[in-house]
């Protein structure tokens, strides 16, 4: 008889988790077209069939500049948002382990001793009585048999939430890599804009000095002098603005990196090339989008909601809880472990829901509605991912044409500026034509910097939206 509690425990473990009330999970169909958009804005060349998918290209292999690589590595180590995402994984893992522990009985060792004196006036014998009782044993209390899978469903829900949290961390890492690269490129572009403005100021200051001398000699009008001064002052305004913008870019980069950025990691000249991979194959939407961490996160959340339905359904069925203990008991401490002192208790309890005022039905409705919400969120994640890739492809298909046109514009305006200056020196045209040509050249050079930045940023964005760098993110384990 002393093994009765152990027998009850073994039987309980065998009966637990016999049935799952959760619906069979089916991944929803992707609510997007089977192919990327086509048209004049999109690339017309096909990607090589043997090209490596973006998701399998690590960021160390994608980027070519060693300073940028070191900067990204610093950001991955120090960025606070990514650190919070990693801590959320630890939290979700612990929550899963808490929920999983409910599948097993909590066995505790117990020892107790009591003493009681009853006065003679209350004793049946008329004599004062002193009684003592000592006990020691092992046992568990209120252990629920998971007959209808309620605890298993809750455990599965916590597991899927853990997976979703880790996918969110992976998504944050990919976004951080792209944000650091784009912030670094923006700083490079703004520094180049500042250099162009400084060169323009130097050139216009020389022109202004020359015209001032001509004005003093009577060969230039006051209008020419004032027009030259407006060009100088405009350049000074731009220099002040770009100086502030460069400082703000450095501050933004420091926030992303999570620490002051070493000066030797900042771009010192115009960045002409950022990616080692010139052709990033887009593949088919269904194969590309489902690998993105944010889409995986939405699917894990959908699976969690699906498991929660099983827990809500199980609440309609009876539940059985067990309390059992086994050990020794004696009226003397010395006799606690002697032969014949064995003691045990076993107290099963069944709970059959009869009337709850509609609580269980309402909980089931809530679980089903949450599952429908999760489906909509998963579909929205797919649609958003499709749109991001399509936008990046549209820019990719046109940015090279923009760059060619802008480069040609810079050449043409440079020639126009040179010719207008020569005509002014010969007295053929007014200085207003020189000023207009100079402004056109300055605008064209600034526009060329903008288009070059857009081209480089598009490579980074396309790499990101196609799930690039997933191979270097934290892998989601089968079990935490």
């Amino acid at each position: 008889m002393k093994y009765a509690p152990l027998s009850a425990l073994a039987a309980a473990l065998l009966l637990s988790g016999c049935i799952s009330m959760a619906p069979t999970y089916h991944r929803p169909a992707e609510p997007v077209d089977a192919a990327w958009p086509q048209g004049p804005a999109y690339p017309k060349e096909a990607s090589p069939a043997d090209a490596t998918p973006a998701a399998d290209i690590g960021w160390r292999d994608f980027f070519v500049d060693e300073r940028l690589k070191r900067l990204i590595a610093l950001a991955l180590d120090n960025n606070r948002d990514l650190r919070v995402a990693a801590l959320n994984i630890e939290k979700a893992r612990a929550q899963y382990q808490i929920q999983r522990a409910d599948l097993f009985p909590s066995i505790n060792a117990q020892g107790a001793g009591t003493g009681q004196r009853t006065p003679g006036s209350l004793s049946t014998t008329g004599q004062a009585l002193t009684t003592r009782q000592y006990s020691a044993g092992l046992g568990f209390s209120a252990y629920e048999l998971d007959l209808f899978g309620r605890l298993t469903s809750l455990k599965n829900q916590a597991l899927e939430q853990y997976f979703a949290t880790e996918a969110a961390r992976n998504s944050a890492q990919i976004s951080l890599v792209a944000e650091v690269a784009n912030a670094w490129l923006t700083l490079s572009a703004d520094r180049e804009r500042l250099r162009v403005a400084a060169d323009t100021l130097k050139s216009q200051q020389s022109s202004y000095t020359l015209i001032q001398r001509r004005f003093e000699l009577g060969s230039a009008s006051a209008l020419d002098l004032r027009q030259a001064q407006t060009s100088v002052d405009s350049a000074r305004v731009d220099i002040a603005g770009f100086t502030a913008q460069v400082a703000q870019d450095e501050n933004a980069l420091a926030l992303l990196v999570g620490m002051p950025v070493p000066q030797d990691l900042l771009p010192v000249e115009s960045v002409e090339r950022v990616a080692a991979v010139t052709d990033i194959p887009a593949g088919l939407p269904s194969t590309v989008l489902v690998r993105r961490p944010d889409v995986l996160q939405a699917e894990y959340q959908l699976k969690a909601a699906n498991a929660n339905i099983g827990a809500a359904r199980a609440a309609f069925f009876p539940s059985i809880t067990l309390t059992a203990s086994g050990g020794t008991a004696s009226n003397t401490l010395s006799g606690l472990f002697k032969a014949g002192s064995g003691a045990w208790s076993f107290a099963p309890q069944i709970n059959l829901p009869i009337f709850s005022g509609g609580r269980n039905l309402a909980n089931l409705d809530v679980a089903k509605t949450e599952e429908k919400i999760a489906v909509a969120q998963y579909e929205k994640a797919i649609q958003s991912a499709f749109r991001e890739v399509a936008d990046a492809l549209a820019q990719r298909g046109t940015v090279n044409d923009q760059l060619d046109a802008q480069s040609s514009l810079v050449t043409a305006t440079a020639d126009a500026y040179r010719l207008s200056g020569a005509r002014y020196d010969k007295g053929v045209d007014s200085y207003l034509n020189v000023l207009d040509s100079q402004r056109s050249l300055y605008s064209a050079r600034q526009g060329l910097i903008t288009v070059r930045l857009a081209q480089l940023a598009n490579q980074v964005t396309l790499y990101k939206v196609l799930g690039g760098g997933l191979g270097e993110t934290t892998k989601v384990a089968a079990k935490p």
Side-chain angles (χ1 to χ4, degrees):
M1 295 295 291
K2 64 180 180 180
Y3 298 106
L6 297 178
S7 300
L9 176 59
L13 292 175
L14 289 174
L15 289 172
S16 296
C18 295
I19 301 174
S20 175
M21 308 298 293
T24 302
Y25 174 75
H26 299 285
R27 175 187 290 174
E30 291 82 5
V32 294
D33 292 336
W36 302 115
Q38 301 292 323
Y42 297 95
K44 298 176 178 59
E45 70 277 6
S47 300
D50 58 347
T52 304
D56 296 331
I57 302 174
W59 62 265
R60 299 179 189 275
D61 297 324
F62 179 77
F63 296 103
V64 294
D65 194 289
E66 291 299 326
R67 294 166 299 174
L68 178 55
K69 289 183 181 181
R70 290 168 57 192
L71 199 62
I72 292 174
L74 283 178
L76 294 179
D77 289 336
N78 296 284
N79 182 268
R80 298 310 189 270
D81 290 334
L82 192 62
R83 189 172 298 177
V84 169
L87 293 174
N88 283 334
I89 294 176
E90 296 183 15
K91 177 182 175 182
R93 181 188 294 114
Q95 290 173 334
Y96 163 74
Q97 291 171 343
I98 291 172
Q99 192 64 59
R100 183 173 178 268
D102 288 341
L103 292 172
F104 306 96
S106 297
I107 301 176
N108 301 304
Q110 299 175 345
T114 60
Q116 182 177 350
R117 181 183 184 279
T118 304
S121 60
L122 297 178
S123 172
T124 56
T125 63
Q127 300 293 325
L129 296 178
T130 301
T131 59
R132 290 181 175 83
Q133 181 177 343
Y134 302 92
S135 63
L138 296 175
F140 58 89
S141 64
Y143 167 60
E144 180 180 347
L145 297 181
D146 196 22
L147 297 177
F148 299 97
R150 188 184 76 88
L151 299 178
T152 299
S153 294
L154 293 176
K155 182 264 295 182
N156 291 338
Q157 179 195 27
L159 179 62
E160 298 299 339
Q161 289 290 359
Y162 161 72
F163 288 158
T165 304
E166 187 140 14
R169 189 267 180 197
N170 291 344
S171 180
Q173 176 170 321
I174 293 175
S175 296
L176 177 62
V177 169
E179 287 176 7
V180 171
N182 282 327
W184 191 79
L185 291 172
T186 300
L187 174 59
S188 172
D190 286 341
R191 282 187 167 186
E192 188 174 359
R193 290 188 177 102
L194 179 59
R195 286 194 294 270
V196 170
D199 291 343
T200 301
L201 175 61
K202 183 178 179 180
S203 174
Q204 292 309 308
Q205 188 66 54
S206 299
S207 297
Y208 174 78
T209 301
L210 178 61
I211 293 175
Q212 187 177 33
R213 291 176 181 173
R214 289 181 177 180
F215 174 74
E216 293 171 352
L217 295 174
S219 60
S221 66
L223 178 61
D224 290 344
L225 181 62
R226 294 308 177 195
Q227 287 174 340
Q229 184 178 353
T230 61
S231 179
V232 171
D233 292 340
S234 295
R236 289 173 58 197
V237 170
D238 285 351
I239 286 177
F242 288 132
T243 299
Q245 188 60 53
V246 166
Q248 292 172 352
D249 292 342
E250 292 177 355
N251 294 337
L253 197 57
L255 178 62
L256 288 173
V257 176
M259 59 177 290
V261 180
Q263 289 297 315
D264 62 334
L265 299 186
L266 296 176
V268 293
E269 67 263 342
S270 175
V271 179
E272 300 292 339
R273 184 166 174 254
V274 67
V277 182
T278 57
D279 185 30
I280 303 178
L284 295 176
S286 59
T287 58
V288 171
L289 300 182
V290 295
R291 295 189 63 183
R292 282 183 35 151
D294 57 335
V295 175
L296 289 173
Q297 178 188 3
E299 185 173 10
Y300 287 133
Q301 291 171 338
L302 173 56
K303 291 180 179 179
N306 188 77
N308 195 39
I309 293 177
R313 285 177 174 175
F316 287 89
F317 296 87
S319 62
I320 298 176
T321 58
L322 303 177
T323 298
S325 65
T328 64
S330 175
N331 60 354
T332 61
L333 186 60
S334 59
L336 192 59
F337 297 101
K338 291 183 178 180
S341 62
W344 61 267
S345 67
F346 179 62
Q349 181 180 355
I350 185 169
N351 178 39
L352 179 64
I354 297 177
F355 177 75
S356 61
R359 182 189 303 274
N360 290 337
L361 186 60
N363 285 333
L364 179 59
D365 290 340
V366 168
K368 290 182 177 180
T369 303
E370 289 177 343
E371 192 263 350
K372 293 178 181 178
I373 293 173
V375 170
Q377 291 173 335
Y378 172 76
E379 292 175 342
K380 178 63 179 297
I382 288 283
Q383 291 174 337
S384 298
F386 185 91
R387 183 261 175 97
E388 290 176 358
V389 176
D391 286 350
L393 289 174
Q395 187 176 25
R396 176 189 179 188
T398 57
V399 71
N400 288 333
D401 293 338
Q402 295 178 43
L403 186 59
D404 291 341
Q406 193 69 34
S407 299
S408 177
L409 179 61
V410 169
T411 301
T413 53
D415 288 341
Y417 177 57
R418 178 180 54 80
L419 293 173
S420 63
R423 290 173 64 86
Y424 172 75
D425 291 338
K426 293 179 180 181
V428 177
D429 283 338
S430 67
Y431 190 74
L432 180 61
N433 291 332
V434 179
L435 184 61
D436 288 341
S437 298
Q438 185 275 330
R439 288 173 177 170
S440 297
L441 175 60
Y442 177 73
S443 177
R445 293 179 66 186
Q446 294 287 1
L448 181 61
I449 296 173
T450 300
V451 176
R452 284 175 177 168
L453 174 62
Q455 182 193 41
L456 297 174
N458 175 251
Q459 296 179 14
V460 176
T461 299
L462 190 60
Y463 175 69
K464 169 194 169 184
V465 298
L466 290 174
L470 185 59
E472 293 194 25
T473 57
T474 303
K475 295 294 185 180
V476 178
K479 293 281 186 179

